[in-house]
Amino acid sequence: MALADVTLETVLSLAGPTIAAAGFVSGVWYRMETKVESVRRDAAASVHAVEKELAEFKLKVAEEYASWETVKAIEARLTERMDTLSENVMKMPDAIVGRIVDMVKLAQFKA
């Protein structure tokens, strides 16, 4: 078949299926691109929502929770107070015995 033998009829018989195949491929491509874009939008919205929740949580933590330095300072004050209280409790029996002895001496003095 020579180049001159190619007729309009032959070109048209090949053009129809080629155009149909191109239309099919472009239709599938368009549908897939639409779905991909939809998923991208949904993912972007989800990421934005998660970022917003994270920012709100960070703000809550910054407002409500004590820093490490604050916790250490509170621990130091509590330890100091507990030591003082422990000393006072340890001195109580001696103080009670001293009062009893004073009362006995006072009772002997009155008698």
Side-chain angles (χ1 to χ4, degrees):
M1 185 160 150
L3 188 59
D5 291 339
V6 176
T7 62
L8 181 63
E9 201 174 295
T10 307
V11 170
L12 289 178
S13 70
L14 295 174
T18 304
I19 291 172
F24 175 74
V25 169
S26 66
V28 169
W29 183 271
Y30 176 76
R31 286 182 55 84
M32 291 304 294
E33 187 64 29
T34 302
K35 288 186 181 200
V36 167
E37 188 59 34
S38 173
V39 168
R40 281 184 186 155
R41 272 185 270 123
D42 292 345
S46 296
V47 167
H48 180 69
V50 168
E51 287 175 344
K52 183 178 177 184
E53 287 179 27
L54 179 61
E56 290 171 356
F57 178 73
K58 285 180 179 180
L59 179 62
K60 180 180 178 183
V61 167
E63 290 174 346
E64 294 181 5
Y65 293 93
S67 68
W68 187 245
E69 291 80 23
T70 303
V71 171
K72 283 183 176 180
I74 291 171
E75 179 188 15
R77 287 192 316 225
L78 285 174
T79 303
E80 182 182 326
R81 296 276 168 90
M82 287 176 64
D83 289 343
T84 303
L85 183 61
S86 176
E87 289 174 14
N88 290 340
V89 168
M90 295 304 285
K91 291 177 184 176
M92 281 180 134
D94 293 336
I96 292 172
V97 169
R99 293 246 175 151
I100 291 173
V101 168
D102 289 344
M103 290 180 77
V104 169
K105 285 181 184 177
L106 185 64
Q108 287 178 354
F109 181 70
K110 285 185 180 179

